[in-house]
């Protein structure tokens, strides 16, 4: 089988799972409205906090009001994508390991990592993406003078790379369940830390900033793309970020296969 | 040529030892004590293409562990196993494409969707050409009599109906080797019988090799000419079902109906069957007489009970 054919097969497999996942979610149409209300409420609270902050000052850590609004838009957008595609799959890995149901994924003649990463899609979480895009658009309209197409291109590239690094981070968390069977609290920990991403990481003290950059790569997924679209971007972090993402891809896959080996060696 | 070859296959688990009490739990945080448990102990056998083999043994005997090693999910601690010429350990795609695993106590279909959609996912995973897929799918639907069920969400199906769906989904890629781990567990008698006759049909129609573990002797009696008995991880018997009962039956049951309508039941050691019978005939006015082996269920139970005492 040629490399192209293999890749085509993988894309088709992912597309099939996506289609079936969406059909699954379509049965619960009321969730669309519930999720939409939740997305709007979350963003609404964020906006109130921003308004309070900017009633006292004109900038926060070097970010103007519309720029911070853009960060909030990107934060909501990224959160939506993570909760739609990444989180449900990785949580299912954790559950499957605990309940011994991972066997069904491992016995299939497909790459196990690919398979466990595409099985679930929580389609209605995409309301966050819609709301996030709306907030981002409003922010960009306010910033119009500084918008250029290169910024948009850089934004999209950095956003994708940031999402990949979040995926890698989640994959490593999920792989940890091969050693520590109970990691239920991990999801809440992630959610809590993720909330810190609604502000640029630059406003946090140094230790937290590094943690949110290199341990949980939130800076890469939210702050850096926001810098790109608001025209604040320096090229240095871009290079660091792409290198970091590449390393994470390799490391997380290694960690995953170590976990699988352990599963084969020790599980009952 | 053998389709499955197993030689001196062993699997040892390291199980954490946990003592009771808070202090012991805290100590185990720092220093975890583990104990080795031998789940499968130097098991050897070969299986020819098209055979239906029953794995028998009480819970924890090592049946499932053996199946999992044969399907590449667990790695052997020592020994060899080969399935279709492949070593399962590295889960080679070529092997996985040709085997299937059905576990009676776990389901792999999408819970909220009709089984047809899950079948579609399997088609994508195994890359089954569409025409071939549809033909086999419809054949399986017919054989299992699930035509009106495949469009209902799986969550609305009964346990037995769900099992039929699981089986259909697991066979869409035309596997050559079927590992069925307790496929009839928890099902009512009628449903058990249907699943059994389907497996027999499937085996004769497609010539697939089947390894089946079950608690229900009836499953094994109906399907398997050959049984492998595993106890405490060791292979204790491998051969014909009829030989099994001969080997392990130490008793015979003699039932006699007398002229006055009374019934007498005698349990005698096998070797004394003849003398017991002649004594019975001499002493009583016998109208009818049967000499039977005890039911195979009792034989197995007796055997495991004895083996349990011995170890």
């Amino acid at each position: 089988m040629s490399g192209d054919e293999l890749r085509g097969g993988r894309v088709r497999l992912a597309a099939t799972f996506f289609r079936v996942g969406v059909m699954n979610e379509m049965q619960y149409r009321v969730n669309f409205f519930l999720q939409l209300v939740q997305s709007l409420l979350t963003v609404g609270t964020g906006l109130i906090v921003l308004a309070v902050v900017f009633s006292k000052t004109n900038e926060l850590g070097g970010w103007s009001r519309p720029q911070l609004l853009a960060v909030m838009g990107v934060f909501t957008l990224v959160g939506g994508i993570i909760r739609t595609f990444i989180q449900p799959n990785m949580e299912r890995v954790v559950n499957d390991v605990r309940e011994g149901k991972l066997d069904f994924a491992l016995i299939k003649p497909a790459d196990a990592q690919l398979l466990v990463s595409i099985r679930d899609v929580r389609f209605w979480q995409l309301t966050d993406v819609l709301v996030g895009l709306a907030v981002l658009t409003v922010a960009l309209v306010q910033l119009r003078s500084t918008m250029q197409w290169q910024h948009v291109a850089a934004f999209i590239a950095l956003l994708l790379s940031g999402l990949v690094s979040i995926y890698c981070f989640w994959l490593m968390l999920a792989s940890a369940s091969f050693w520590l069977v109970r990691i239920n609290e991990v999801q809440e920990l992630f959610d809590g830390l993720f909330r810190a991403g609604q502000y640029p990481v630059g406003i946090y003290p140094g230790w937290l900033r590094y943690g949110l950059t290199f341990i949980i790569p939130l800076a890469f997924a939210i702050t850096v793309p926001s810098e790109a679209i608001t025209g604040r971007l320096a090229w240095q972090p871009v290079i660091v970020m792409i290198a970091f993402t590449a390393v994470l891809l390799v490391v997380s896959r290694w960690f995953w296969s170590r976990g699988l080996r352990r599963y084969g060696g020790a599980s009952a | 040529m053998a389709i499955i070859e197993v030689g001196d296959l062993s699997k040892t688990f390291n199980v954490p030892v946990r003592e009771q009490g808070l202090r012991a739990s805290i100590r185990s945080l720092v220093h975890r004590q583990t104990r080795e448990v031998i789940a499968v102990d130097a098991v050897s056998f070969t299986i020819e293409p098209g055979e239906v083999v029953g794995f028998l043994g009480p819970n924890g005997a090592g049946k499932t562990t053996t199946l999992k090693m044969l399907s590449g999910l667990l790695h052997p601690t020592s020994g060899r196993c080969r399935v279709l010429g492949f070593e399962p350990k590295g889960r080679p795609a070529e092997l996985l494409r040709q085997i299937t695993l059905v576990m009676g106590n776990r389901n792999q279909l999408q819970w909220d969707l009709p089984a047809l959609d899950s079948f579609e996912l399997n088609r994508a995973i195994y890359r089954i050409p569409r025409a071939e897929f549809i033909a086999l799918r419809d054949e399986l639907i017919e054989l299992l009599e699930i035509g009106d069920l495949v469009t209902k969400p799986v969550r609305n199906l009964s346990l037995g109906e769900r099992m039929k769906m699981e089986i259909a989904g697991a066979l869409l890629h035309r596997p050559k080797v079927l590992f069925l781990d307790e496929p009839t567990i928890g099902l009512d008698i009628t449903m058990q019988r249907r699943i059994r006759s389907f497996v027999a049909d499937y085996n004769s129609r497609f010539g697939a090799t089947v390894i089946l573990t079950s608690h229900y002797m009836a499953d094994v009696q109906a399907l398997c000419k050959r049984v492998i008995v595993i106890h405490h991880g060791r292979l204790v018997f491998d051969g014909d079902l009829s030989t099994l009962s001969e080997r392990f039956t130490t008793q015979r049951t003699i039932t006699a109906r007398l002229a006055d309508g009374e019934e007498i039941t005698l349990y005698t050691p096998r070797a004394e069957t003849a003398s017991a019978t002649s004594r019975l005939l001499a002493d009583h006015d016998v109208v009818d007489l049967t000499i039977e082996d005890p039911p195979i269920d009792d034989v197995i139970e007796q055997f495991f009970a004895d083996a349990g005492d011995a170890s």
Side-chain angles (χ1 to χ4, degrees):
Chain A
M1 204 174 297
S2 78
D4 264 1
E5 221 177 299
L6 201 65
R7 220 166 303 130
R10 287 178 176 186
V11 171
R12 208 157 345 143
L13 189 62
T16 310
F17 269 97
F18 179 72
R19 193 164 52 82
V20 171
V22 171
M23 283 193 308
N24 197 354
E25 290 271 283
M26 284 298 169
Q27 299 179 87
Y28 309 102
R29 244 161 281 199
V30 104
N31 281 1
F32 170 75
F33 296 102
L34 292 178
Q35 285 297 342
L36 191 63
V37 169
Q38 204 196 342
S39 305
L40 290 172
L41 276 177
T42 315
V43 168
T45 352
L47 289 177
I48 292 169
V49 173
L50 268 195
V52 170
V53 169
F54 281 98
S55 67
K56 302 266 187 267
T57 170
N58 280 322
E59 61 150 55
L60 190 65
W63 294 70
S64 71
R65 188 177 181 152
Q67 285 173 337
L68 276 187
L69 195 61
V71 175
M72 185 170 294
V74 174
F75 165 76
T76 311
L77 170 84
V78 166
I81 297 176
I82 291 173
R83 280 187 294 274
T84 305
F85 297 105
I86 302 177
Q87 217 161 325
N89 281 302
M90 295 300 129
E91 282 168 26
R92 185 160 160 199
V93 170
V94 175
N95 287 334
D96 278 3
V97 170
R98 197 184 45 220
E99 293 165 17
K101 280 166 77 174
L102 198 67
D103 292 343
F104 287 125
L106 298 182
I107 202 164
K108 300 286 192 305
D111 182 76
Q113 184 189 339
L114 174 74
L115 201 56
V116 302
S117 305
I118 59 175
R119 291 186 295 175
D120 275 337
V121 49
R122 228 169 273 163
F123 188 66
W124 298 128
Q125 295 284 346
L126 284 176
T127 54
D128 275 345
V129 174
L130 295 179
V131 172
L133 278 175
V135 171
L136 183 60
T137 311
V138 170
L140 290 181
V141 167
Q142 292 179 7
L143 283 166
R144 195 172 24 197
S145 53
T146 57
M147 264 277 283
Q148 289 165 20
W149 68 267
Q150 299 98 305
H151 295 161
V152 178
F155 168 72
I156 293 172
L158 290 169
L159 190 70
L160 288 178
S161 150
L163 285 169
V164 169
S165 53
I166 295 272
Y167 161 74
C168 294
F169 172 75
W170 255 113
L171 181 67
M172 289 195 280
L173 273 188
S175 304
S177 64
F178 290 116
W179 286 270
L180 323 157
V181 174
R182 273 188 54 172
I183 57 168
N184 304 3
E185 290 76 18
V186 160
Q187 181 210 337
E188 274 145 55
L189 186 68
F190 179 84
D191 286 346
L193 287 169
F194 185 76
R195 229 166 285 142
Q198 59 180 300
Y199 302 104
V201 295
I203 70 166
Y204 296 113
W207 58 272
L208 188 53
R209 188 159 68 226
Y210 281 107
L212 293 177
T213 306
F214 293 106
I215 299 177
I216 301 179
L218 283 184
F220 287 147
I222 301 169
T223 310
V224 177
S226 305
E227 282 175 344
I229 196 125
T230 53
R232 300 168 47 105
L233 189 66
W235 286 106
Q236 201 185 346
V238 176
I239 295 161
V240 174
M241 174 168 172
I242 287 170
F244 180 74
T245 306
V247 171
L248 260 188
L249 265 175
V250 174
V251 170
S252 61
R253 185 164 178 89
W254 174 80
F255 199 56
W256 163 256
S257 39
R258 279 294 303 268
L260 277 192
R261 215 172 312 153
R262 178 173 165 96
Y263 187 77
S267 78
Chain B
M1 203 197 93
I3 201 162
I4 295 175
E5 289 177 284
V6 172
D8 283 326
L9 190 67
S10 298
K11 178 71 188 173
T12 311
F13 293 118
N14 281 320
V15 183
V17 181
R18 208 159 294 155
E19 286 159 55
Q20 280 197 326
L22 183 62
R23 194 178 299 173
S25 323
I26 291 170
R27 199 166 46 225
S28 76
L29 278 179
V30 191
H31 185 72
R32 253 165 80 104
Q33 282 194 318
T34 59
R35 181 169 59 93
E36 283 201 342
V37 173
I38 301 169
V40 175
D41 191 0
V43 165
S44 305
F45 57 84
T46 58
I47 292 173
E48 300 299 322
E51 271 194 279
V52 183
V53 178
F55 270 28
L56 281 178
N59 280 334
K63 293 168 297 183
T64 303
T65 306
T66 308
L67 283 196
K68 284 189 173 184
M69 284 194 278
L70 291 178
S71 47
L73 297 170
L74 285 177
H75 305 165
T77 309
S78 66
R80 324 163 259 112
C81 65
R82 295 206 152 248
V83 178
L84 291 151
F86 296 97
E87 198 181 329
K89 186 182 166 185
R91 295 187 295 113
E94 298 295 296
L95 171 65
L96 298 182
R97 227 182 281 283
Q98 302 181 68
I99 64 173
T100 203
L101 172 69
V102 175
M103 292 192 254
N105 51 358
R106 294 186 194 142
N107 63 294
Q108 58 169 328
L109 299 176
Q110 303 276 320
W111 191 246
D112 291 317
L113 287 177
L116 276 184
D117 292 325
S118 290
F119 295 170
E120 202 59 42
L121 290 177
N122 279 356
R123 185 180 91 77
I125 291 171
Y126 289 99
R127 299 190 203 166
I128 312 166
R130 179 160 287 280
E132 199 178 300
F133 166 76
I134 291 175
L136 183 56
R137 182 192 68 189
D138 293 348
E139 190 176 351
L140 290 169
I141 288 176
E142 204 189 305
L143 274 173
L144 284 161
E145 299 165 10
I146 47 176
D148 48 342
L149 302 175
V150 285
T151 50
K152 285 189 190 167
V154 170
R155 62 162 190 271
N156 293 344
L157 302 179
S158 75
L159 195 61
E161 292 168 342
R162 225 177 285 148
M163 199 59 224
K164 285 179 165 187
M165 299 297 167
E166 289 284 338
I167 291 176
L171 298 177
L172 289 168
H173 59 288
R174 226 177 261 273
K176 293 200 179 114
V177 179
L178 278 56
F179 298 115
L180 308 180
D181 194 14
E182 306 270 358
T184 56
I185 198 161
L187 305 185
D188 63 43
I189 302 283
T190 326
M191 195 55 91
Q192 286 183 24
R193 212 171 281 153
R194 286 225 198 122
I195 301 250
R196 253 175 242 146
S197 70
F198 171 79
V199 173
D201 259 13
Y202 185 86
N203 166 256
S204 62
R205 199 181 276 225
F206 295 90
T209 310
V210 180
I211 298 189
L212 170 111
T213 76
S214 183
H215 275 109
Y216 302 116
M217 235 5 256
D219 279 351
V220 177
Q221 269 177 311
L223 289 171
C224 315
K225 219 170 95 20
R226 176 178 169 197
V227 291
I228 290 177
V229 182
I230 297 180
H231 190 50
H232 291 311
R234 285 169 175 263
L235 190 150
V236 293
F237 177 82
D238 178 0
D240 278 3
L241 191 59
S242 50
T243 325
L244 176 73
S245 53
E246 251 168 59
R247 165 100 56 99
F248 293 119
T249 312
T250 48
Q251 273 193 344
R252 289 247 164 148
T253 311
I254 306 172
T255 317
R257 197 148 55 80
L258 305 183
D260 56 12
E262 206 187 334
E263 255 193 25
I264 302 178
T265 309
L266 287 179
Y267 303 96
T268 68
R270 210 184 165 90
E272 291 161 31
T273 314
S275 59
T277 312
S278 61
R279 227 176 307 132
L280 186 72
L281 290 172
D283 297 351
H284 300 276
D285 192 2
V286 176
V287 183
D288 191 14
L289 183 83
T290 54
I291 303 173
E292 285 175 319
D293 283 338
I296 189 82
D297 265 326
D298 297 355
V299 173
I300 300 276
E301 200 178 310
Q302 184 63 41
F303 171 75
F304 288 138
D306 294 348
D309 294 343
S311 65

